[in-house]
Amino acid sequence: MAHWHVCEGTWFVGVDALLNDTAGRVGGSEVLSGRAVDFLRDDLGGWPALHRAQVSVIYPGYPRPRDGESAGAFRYRQMRDAAHVDGLKPVGPNRRRHPQEFHAFILGLPLTDVGPDAAPMVVWEGSHEVIRAGLREVLDNHDPKDWHTVDVTDAYQEARRTVFETCTRVPLPARPGEAYAVHRLALHGVAPWKPGSKGRPDGRMIAYFRPEMADRQDWLISP
Ligand SMILES: [Fe+2]
């Protein structure tokens, strides 16, 4: 999996890296369960069969530039936590954003015990409603089956600007045994690893589940 090391070795992206089954079992463990799972199942649209989790590992020194990243994009990684909404994929030479993955939620499960300033996930509180409103202005004019062909760059960038101006940036340091559930439309990112933070040789490691929704229409409409 060496190809998953990016940002000059300070980030292991680790898509599909965990050998879990569809119930979240790893190596004979129990089925994945707990308050976060209950919440996602009961209040956020259900609990689907799970894919192999992403194992995202950040190391001291993050961020360094990602391969081919422009100076502006690297500055955004440093100053704005590389904040993004999942699933809005860059298409073509101008990297115009198109909705091409429709996740039900983001569930983060910390796997290492590190300090609170060791590159925590950050989320902009309430941003999912700002992003939802911005994207609906464009996507409500299209059949959901065509959404992946719609350029939402301008609406997304404007909504993101509003989020930076009006929403609170909330770092989410968490320890093994804890979990966090992030709304699929929330603006989120990764804070830099603050020098001197309590770390470990195996870094700040988090397993992420981001299962696809059964019906992409729910991506904008359901809770
Ligand atoms: Fe993300």
Side-chain angles (χ1 to χ4, degrees):
M1 296 190 184
H3 68 286
W4 284 125
H5 286 287
V6 300
C7 295
E8 301 178 6
T10 59
W11 180 20
F12 176 80
V13 182
V15 173
D16 296 338
L18 191 66
L19 300 177
N20 59 276
D21 68 10
T22 55
R25 283 177 290 238
V26 183
S29 73
E30 297 289 315
V31 166
L32 186 59
S33 63
R35 276 176 59 200
V37 173
D38 294 345
F39 168 73
L40 292 167
R41 186 188 53 231
D42 299 339
D43 299 306
L44 215 66
W47 182 250
L50 295 176
H51 57 91
R52 285 169 59 168
Q54 175 184 4
V55 180
S56 175
V57 190
I58 300 283
Y59 298 97
Y62 176 87
R64 299 291 304 151
R66 194 168 180 171
D67 307 338
E69 191 164 63
S70 68
F74 178 55
R75 216 163 30 245
Y76 186 78
R77 186 178 295 284
Q78 289 175 302
M79 310 301 291
R80 288 292 197 187
D81 312 299
H84 63 279
V85 174
D86 278 7
L88 303 180
K89 295 294 191 186
V91 174
N94 295 324
R95 300 179 60 80
R96 302 294 292 180
R97 298 279 166 178
H98 294 64
Q100 299 201 333
E101 288 173 353
F102 303 93
H103 301 147
F105 53 76
I106 303 170
L107 174 63
L109 304 172
L111 301 178
T112 54
D113 195 359
V114 295
D117 294 323
M121 167 91 133
V122 294
V123 181
W124 278 261
E125 193 167 22
S127 60
H128 60 298
E129 293 300 354
V130 179
I131 298 290
R132 189 200 307 270
L135 292 179
R136 284 195 65 168
E137 273 187 31
V138 182
L139 292 174
D140 279 356
N141 302 320
H142 297 269
D143 192 308
K145 73 174 177 5
D146 299 325
W147 280 357
H148 60 285
T149 67
V150 180
D151 182 343
V152 298
T153 311
D154 295 341
Y156 168 55
Q157 288 181 348
E158 192 184 322
R160 202 174 60 181
R161 245 188 323 271
T162 304
V163 167
F164 286 138
E165 285 166 8
T166 62
C167 298
T168 304
R169 173 185 178 275
V170 182
L172 294 179
R175 307 173 68 178
E178 300 177 330
Y180 49 80
V182 176
H183 193 277
R184 61 188 175 277
L185 297 175
L187 190 73
H188 64 276
V190 175
W193 184 298
K194 220 178 197 173
S197 292
K198 178 184 160 245
R200 295 168 46 99
D202 44 0
R204 187 285 266 148
M205 185 185 302
I206 298 174
Y208 287 112
F209 289 105
R210 302 180 298 173
E212 288 269 329
M213 295 194 112
D215 183 352
R216 65 167 67 169
Q217 189 164 345
D218 292 338
W219 187 68
L220 276 187
I221 292 168
S222 77

PDB file of all heavy atoms in Angstrom, residues 12 15 26-27 37 44 54 56 58 69-70 81 94 112-113 135 142 153 161 171 175 187 192-193 215:
ATOM      1  N   PHE A  12      -0.759   9.084   4.995  1.00  0.00           N
ATOM      2  CA  PHE A  12      -1.095   7.808   4.370  1.00  0.00           C
ATOM      3  C   PHE A  12      -2.603   7.816   4.142  1.00  0.00           C
ATOM      4  O   PHE A  12      -3.373   7.816   5.096  1.00  0.00           O
ATOM      5  CB  PHE A  12      -0.680   6.651   5.294  1.00  0.00           C
ATOM      6  CG  PHE A  12      -1.066   5.281   4.777  1.00  0.00           C
ATOM      7  CD1 PHE A  12      -0.305   4.638   3.810  1.00  0.00           C
ATOM      8  CD2 PHE A  12      -2.191   4.636   5.278  1.00  0.00           C
ATOM      9  CE1 PHE A  12      -0.664   3.379   3.339  1.00  0.00           C
ATOM     10  CE2 PHE A  12      -2.551   3.374   4.814  1.00  0.00           C
ATOM     11  CZ  PHE A  12      -1.789   2.749   3.849  1.00  0.00           C
ATOM     12  N   VAL A  15      -7.152   4.355   1.338  1.00  0.00           N
ATOM     13  CA  VAL A  15      -8.516   3.985   0.937  1.00  0.00           C
ATOM     14  C   VAL A  15      -8.641   2.455   0.874  1.00  0.00           C
ATOM     15  O   VAL A  15      -7.764   1.783   0.342  1.00  0.00           O
ATOM     16  CB  VAL A  15      -8.858   4.624  -0.430  1.00  0.00           C
ATOM     17  CG1 VAL A  15     -10.209   4.125  -0.946  1.00  0.00           C
ATOM     18  CG2 VAL A  15      -8.874   6.142  -0.310  1.00  0.00           C
ATOM     19  N   VAL A  26     -13.331  -6.989  12.499  1.00  0.00           N
ATOM     20  CA  VAL A  26     -11.938  -7.116  12.065  1.00  0.00           C
ATOM     21  C   VAL A  26     -11.300  -8.220  12.887  1.00  0.00           C
ATOM     22  O   VAL A  26     -11.307  -8.166  14.117  1.00  0.00           O
ATOM     23  CB  VAL A  26     -11.145  -5.809  12.299  1.00  0.00           C
ATOM     24  CG1 VAL A  26      -9.727  -5.943  11.775  1.00  0.00           C
ATOM     25  CG2 VAL A  26     -11.845  -4.637  11.632  1.00  0.00           C
ATOM     26  N   GLY A  27     -10.755  -9.232  12.207  1.00  0.00           N
ATOM     27  CA  GLY A  27     -10.010 -10.278  12.908  1.00  0.00           C
ATOM     28  C   GLY A  27     -10.786 -10.905  14.050  1.00  0.00           C
ATOM     29  O   GLY A  27     -10.242 -11.105  15.141  1.00  0.00           O
ATOM     30  N   VAL A  37     -23.166   4.493  16.022  1.00  0.00           N
ATOM     31  CA  VAL A  37     -23.874   3.599  15.092  1.00  0.00           C
ATOM     32  C   VAL A  37     -25.377   3.718  15.293  1.00  0.00           C
ATOM     33  O   VAL A  37     -26.148   3.818  14.321  1.00  0.00           O
ATOM     34  CB  VAL A  37     -23.403   2.135  15.272  1.00  0.00           C
ATOM     35  CG1 VAL A  37     -24.259   1.185  14.433  1.00  0.00           C
ATOM     36  CG2 VAL A  37     -21.931   2.003  14.897  1.00  0.00           C
ATOM     37  N   LEU A  44     -30.184   9.245  11.043  1.00  0.00           N
ATOM     38  CA  LEU A  44     -29.560   9.791   9.835  1.00  0.00           C
ATOM     39  C   LEU A  44     -29.738   8.867   8.625  1.00  0.00           C
ATOM     40  O   LEU A  44     -28.904   8.829   7.738  1.00  0.00           O
ATOM     41  CB  LEU A  44     -28.081  10.086  10.080  1.00  0.00           C
ATOM     42  CG  LEU A  44     -27.575  11.329   9.330  1.00  0.00           C
ATOM     43  CD1 LEU A  44     -28.238  12.598   9.839  1.00  0.00           C
ATOM     44  CD2 LEU A  44     -26.070  11.449   9.432  1.00  0.00           C
ATOM     45  N   GLN A  54     -11.418   3.201   5.071  1.00  0.00           N
ATOM     46  CA  GLN A  54     -10.214   3.971   4.802  1.00  0.00           C
ATOM     47  C   GLN A  54      -9.435   4.082   6.110  1.00  0.00           C
ATOM     48  O   GLN A  54     -10.039   4.304   7.164  1.00  0.00           O
ATOM     49  CB  GLN A  54     -10.606   5.366   4.310  1.00  0.00           C
ATOM     50  CG  GLN A  54      -9.422   6.301   4.125  1.00  0.00           C
ATOM     51  CD  GLN A  54      -9.843   7.713   3.731  1.00  0.00           C
ATOM     52  OE1 GLN A  54     -11.027   8.028   3.669  1.00  0.00           O
ATOM     53  NE2 GLN A  54      -8.860   8.548   3.457  1.00  0.00           N
ATOM     54  N   SER A  56      -6.759   6.458   7.488  1.00  0.00           N
ATOM     55  CA  SER A  56      -6.042   7.699   7.203  1.00  0.00           C
ATOM     56  C   SER A  56      -5.059   7.965   8.338  1.00  0.00           C
ATOM     57  O   SER A  56      -5.459   8.054   9.496  1.00  0.00           O
ATOM     58  CB  SER A  56      -7.065   8.841   7.087  1.00  0.00           C
ATOM     59  OG  SER A  56      -6.408  10.079   6.919  1.00  0.00           O
ATOM     60  N   ILE A  58      -1.946  10.429   9.705  1.00  0.00           N
ATOM     61  CA  ILE A  58      -1.180  11.671   9.579  1.00  0.00           C
ATOM     62  C   ILE A  58       0.051  11.571  10.483  1.00  0.00           C
ATOM     63  O   ILE A  58      -0.046  11.091  11.622  1.00  0.00           O
ATOM     64  CB  ILE A  58      -2.038  12.885  10.016  1.00  0.00           C
ATOM     65  CG1 ILE A  58      -3.295  13.003   9.156  1.00  0.00           C
ATOM     66  CG2 ILE A  58      -1.199  14.158   9.977  1.00  0.00           C
ATOM     67  CD1 ILE A  58      -3.090  13.580   7.788  1.00  0.00           C
ATOM     68  N   GLU A  69       0.552  19.543  -6.396  1.00  0.00           N
ATOM     69  CA  GLU A  69      -0.316  20.553  -5.793  1.00  0.00           C
ATOM     70  C   GLU A  69       0.234  21.953  -6.077  1.00  0.00           C
ATOM     71  O   GLU A  69       1.418  22.185  -5.904  1.00  0.00           O
ATOM     72  CB  GLU A  69      -0.358  20.297  -4.290  1.00  0.00           C
ATOM     73  CG  GLU A  69      -1.397  21.063  -3.524  1.00  0.00           C
ATOM     74  CD  GLU A  69      -1.615  20.462  -2.139  1.00  0.00           C
ATOM     75  OE1 GLU A  69      -0.664  20.452  -1.330  1.00  0.00           O
ATOM     76  OE2 GLU A  69      -2.721  19.991  -1.878  1.00  0.00           O
ATOM     77  N   SER A  70      -0.656  22.876  -6.467  1.00  0.00           N
ATOM     78  CA  SER A  70      -0.217  24.248  -6.731  1.00  0.00           C
ATOM     79  C   SER A  70       0.122  24.941  -5.415  1.00  0.00           C
ATOM     80  O   SER A  70      -0.272  24.487  -4.338  1.00  0.00           O
ATOM     81  CB  SER A  70      -1.334  25.016  -7.440  1.00  0.00           C
ATOM     82  OG  SER A  70      -2.417  25.208  -6.538  1.00  0.00           O
ATOM     83  N   ASP A  81      -7.043  23.981   6.366  1.00  0.00           N
ATOM     84  CA  ASP A  81      -7.230  22.559   6.693  1.00  0.00           C
ATOM     85  C   ASP A  81      -7.640  21.719   5.478  1.00  0.00           C
ATOM     86  O   ASP A  81      -8.250  20.663   5.641  1.00  0.00           O
ATOM     87  CB  ASP A  81      -8.282  22.399   7.795  1.00  0.00           C
ATOM     88  CG  ASP A  81      -8.056  23.344   8.972  1.00  0.00           C
ATOM     89  OD1 ASP A  81      -6.985  23.246   9.602  1.00  0.00           O
ATOM     90  OD2 ASP A  81      -8.937  24.180   9.248  1.00  0.00           O
ATOM     91  N   ASN A  94      -9.466  21.934 -15.794  1.00  0.00           N
ATOM     92  CA  ASN A  94      -9.771  23.065 -14.901  1.00  0.00           C
ATOM     93  C   ASN A  94     -10.327  22.615 -13.563  1.00  0.00           C
ATOM     94  O   ASN A  94     -10.759  23.437 -12.752  1.00  0.00           O
ATOM     95  CB  ASN A  94     -10.751  24.021 -15.589  1.00  0.00           C
ATOM     96  CG  ASN A  94     -10.128  24.675 -16.807  1.00  0.00           C
ATOM     97  OD1 ASN A  94      -8.928  24.973 -16.804  1.00  0.00           O
ATOM     98  ND2 ASN A  94     -10.910  24.849 -17.854  1.00  0.00           N
ATOM     99  N   THR A 112      -5.385   5.460  17.238  1.00  0.00           N
ATOM    100  CA  THR A 112      -4.194   5.722  18.049  1.00  0.00           C
ATOM    101  C   THR A 112      -4.489   6.870  19.019  1.00  0.00           C
ATOM    102  O   THR A 112      -5.337   7.708  18.758  1.00  0.00           O
ATOM    103  CB  THR A 112      -2.976   6.103  17.177  1.00  0.00           C
ATOM    104  OG1 THR A 112      -3.329   7.190  16.320  1.00  0.00           O
ATOM    105  CG2 THR A 112      -2.497   4.931  16.349  1.00  0.00           C
ATOM    106  N   ASP A 113      -3.756   6.856  20.116  1.00  0.00           N
ATOM    107  CA  ASP A 113      -3.955   7.856  21.167  1.00  0.00           C
ATOM    108  C   ASP A 113      -2.888   8.935  21.012  1.00  0.00           C
ATOM    109  O   ASP A 113      -1.721   8.704  21.341  1.00  0.00           O
ATOM    110  CB  ASP A 113      -3.847   7.170  22.536  1.00  0.00           C
ATOM    111  CG  ASP A 113      -4.401   8.043  23.647  1.00  0.00           C
ATOM    112  OD1 ASP A 113      -4.845   9.171  23.358  1.00  0.00           O
ATOM    113  OD2 ASP A 113      -4.379   7.591  24.806  1.00  0.00           O
ATOM    114  N   LEU A 135     -25.972  23.909  -2.998  1.00  0.00           N
ATOM    115  CA  LEU A 135     -26.001  22.880  -4.046  1.00  0.00           C
ATOM    116  C   LEU A 135     -27.405  22.698  -4.607  1.00  0.00           C
ATOM    117  O   LEU A 135     -27.581  22.441  -5.804  1.00  0.00           O
ATOM    118  CB  LEU A 135     -25.478  21.545  -3.495  1.00  0.00           C
ATOM    119  CG  LEU A 135     -23.986  21.513  -3.147  1.00  0.00           C
ATOM    120  CD1 LEU A 135     -23.610  20.143  -2.592  1.00  0.00           C
ATOM    121  CD2 LEU A 135     -23.119  21.836  -4.363  1.00  0.00           C
ATOM    122  N   HIS A 142     -31.995  19.706 -11.966  1.00  0.00           N
ATOM    123  CA  HIS A 142     -31.564  18.535 -12.734  1.00  0.00           C
ATOM    124  C   HIS A 142     -32.120  17.259 -12.125  1.00  0.00           C
ATOM    125  O   HIS A 142     -32.311  17.175 -10.908  1.00  0.00           O
ATOM    126  CB  HIS A 142     -30.033  18.439 -12.760  1.00  0.00           C
ATOM    127  CG  HIS A 142     -29.373  19.599 -13.437  1.00  0.00           C
ATOM    128  ND1 HIS A 142     -29.068  19.607 -14.784  1.00  0.00           N
ATOM    129  CD2 HIS A 142     -28.971  20.804 -12.954  1.00  0.00           C
ATOM    130  CE1 HIS A 142     -28.507  20.770 -15.098  1.00  0.00           C
ATOM    131  NE2 HIS A 142     -28.427  21.503 -14.006  1.00  0.00           N
ATOM    132  N   THR A 153     -19.213  23.921  -9.319  1.00  0.00           N
ATOM    133  CA  THR A 153     -18.057  24.634  -8.761  1.00  0.00           C
ATOM    134  C   THR A 153     -18.428  25.989  -8.158  1.00  0.00           C
ATOM    135  O   THR A 153     -18.052  26.288  -7.017  1.00  0.00           O
ATOM    136  CB  THR A 153     -16.994  24.858  -9.858  1.00  0.00           C
ATOM    137  OG1 THR A 153     -16.763  23.624 -10.517  1.00  0.00           O
ATOM    138  CG2 THR A 153     -15.697  25.374  -9.264  1.00  0.00           C
ATOM    139  N   ARG A 161     -17.431  29.838   0.963  1.00  0.00           N
ATOM    140  CA  ARG A 161     -17.071  31.165   1.473  1.00  0.00           C
ATOM    141  C   ARG A 161     -18.003  31.571   2.611  1.00  0.00           C
ATOM    142  O   ARG A 161     -17.570  32.086   3.634  1.00  0.00           O
ATOM    143  CB  ARG A 161     -17.155  32.200   0.337  1.00  0.00           C
ATOM    144  CG  ARG A 161     -15.814  32.817  -0.010  1.00  0.00           C
ATOM    145  CD  ARG A 161     -15.880  33.979  -0.989  1.00  0.00           C
ATOM    146  NE  ARG A 161     -16.866  33.890  -2.048  1.00  0.00           N
ATOM    147  CZ  ARG A 161     -16.666  33.332  -3.244  1.00  0.00           C
ATOM    148  NH1 ARG A 161     -15.495  32.789  -3.527  1.00  0.00           N
ATOM    149  NH2 ARG A 161     -17.614  33.306  -4.156  1.00  0.00           N
ATOM    150  N   PRO A 171     -12.413  21.701  15.933  1.00  0.00           N
ATOM    151  CA  PRO A 171     -11.516  20.531  15.866  1.00  0.00           C
ATOM    152  C   PRO A 171     -12.126  19.368  16.647  1.00  0.00           C
ATOM    153  O   PRO A 171     -12.789  19.577  17.673  1.00  0.00           O
ATOM    154  CB  PRO A 171     -10.225  21.015  16.551  1.00  0.00           C
ATOM    155  CG  PRO A 171     -10.375  22.506  16.670  1.00  0.00           C
ATOM    156  CD  PRO A 171     -11.847  22.796  16.726  1.00  0.00           C
ATOM    157  N   ARG A 175     -10.115   9.837  20.852  1.00  0.00           N
ATOM    158  CA  ARG A 175      -9.221   8.757  21.268  1.00  0.00           C
ATOM    159  C   ARG A 175      -9.840   7.411  20.924  1.00  0.00           C
ATOM    160  O   ARG A 175     -11.055   7.311  20.729  1.00  0.00           O
ATOM    161  CB  ARG A 175      -8.973   8.855  22.769  1.00  0.00           C
ATOM    162  CG  ARG A 175      -8.499  10.236  23.190  1.00  0.00           C
ATOM    163  CD  ARG A 175      -8.429  10.376  24.679  1.00  0.00           C
ATOM    164  NE  ARG A 175      -7.350   9.533  25.223  1.00  0.00           N
ATOM    165  CZ  ARG A 175      -7.037   9.497  26.518  1.00  0.00           C
ATOM    166  NH1 ARG A 175      -7.719  10.233  27.386  1.00  0.00           N
ATOM    167  NH2 ARG A 175      -6.068   8.721  26.930  1.00  0.00           N
ATOM    168  N   LEU A 187     -18.737  20.714   5.651  1.00  0.00           N
ATOM    169  CA  LEU A 187     -17.369  21.088   5.274  1.00  0.00           C
ATOM    170  C   LEU A 187     -16.433  20.585   6.374  1.00  0.00           C
ATOM    171  O   LEU A 187     -16.673  20.824   7.559  1.00  0.00           O
ATOM    172  CB  LEU A 187     -17.269  22.609   5.137  1.00  0.00           C
ATOM    173  CG  LEU A 187     -15.975  23.127   4.517  1.00  0.00           C
ATOM    174  CD1 LEU A 187     -15.934  22.841   3.015  1.00  0.00           C
ATOM    175  CD2 LEU A 187     -15.810  24.625   4.760  1.00  0.00           C
ATOM    176  N   PRO A 192      -3.323  21.097  10.569  1.00  0.00           N
ATOM    177  CA  PRO A 192      -1.891  20.758  10.574  1.00  0.00           C
ATOM    178  C   PRO A 192      -1.485  20.073  11.889  1.00  0.00           C
ATOM    179  O   PRO A 192      -2.129  20.262  12.917  1.00  0.00           O
ATOM    180  CB  PRO A 192      -1.213  22.127  10.457  1.00  0.00           C
ATOM    181  CG  PRO A 192      -2.228  23.010   9.827  1.00  0.00           C
ATOM    182  CD  PRO A 192      -3.558  22.527  10.345  1.00  0.00           C
ATOM    183  N   TRP A 193      -0.427  19.273  11.810  1.00  0.00           N
ATOM    184  CA  TRP A 193       0.152  18.667  13.026  1.00  0.00           C
ATOM    185  C   TRP A 193       0.984  19.754  13.713  1.00  0.00           C
ATOM    186  O   TRP A 193       2.002  20.184  13.183  1.00  0.00           O
ATOM    187  CB  TRP A 193       1.026  17.478  12.647  1.00  0.00           C
ATOM    188  CG  TRP A 193       1.579  16.738  13.824  1.00  0.00           C
ATOM    189  CD1 TRP A 193       2.406  17.220  14.781  1.00  0.00           C
ATOM    190  CD2 TRP A 193       1.326  15.368  14.156  1.00  0.00           C
ATOM    191  NE1 TRP A 193       2.686  16.255  15.699  1.00  0.00           N
ATOM    192  CE2 TRP A 193       2.039  15.093  15.344  1.00  0.00           C
ATOM    193  CE3 TRP A 193       0.573  14.344  13.577  1.00  0.00           C
ATOM    194  CZ2 TRP A 193       2.029  13.840  15.947  1.00  0.00           C
ATOM    195  CZ3 TRP A 193       0.565  13.098  14.177  1.00  0.00           C
ATOM    196  CH2 TRP A 193       1.281  12.864  15.352  1.00  0.00           C
ATOM    197  N   ASP A 215     -29.914   5.616  -2.626  1.00  0.00           N
ATOM    198  CA  ASP A 215     -30.621   6.491  -3.560  1.00  0.00           C
ATOM    199  C   ASP A 215     -29.981   7.879  -3.509  1.00  0.00           C
ATOM    200  O   ASP A 215     -30.059   8.573  -2.494  1.00  0.00           O
ATOM    201  CB  ASP A 215     -32.107   6.570  -3.167  1.00  0.00           C
ATOM    202  CG  ASP A 215     -32.916   7.421  -4.148  1.00  0.00           C
ATOM    203  OD1 ASP A 215     -32.305   8.064  -5.035  1.00  0.00           O
ATOM    204  OD2 ASP A 215     -34.151   7.435  -4.013  1.00  0.00           O
TER     205      ASP A 215
END
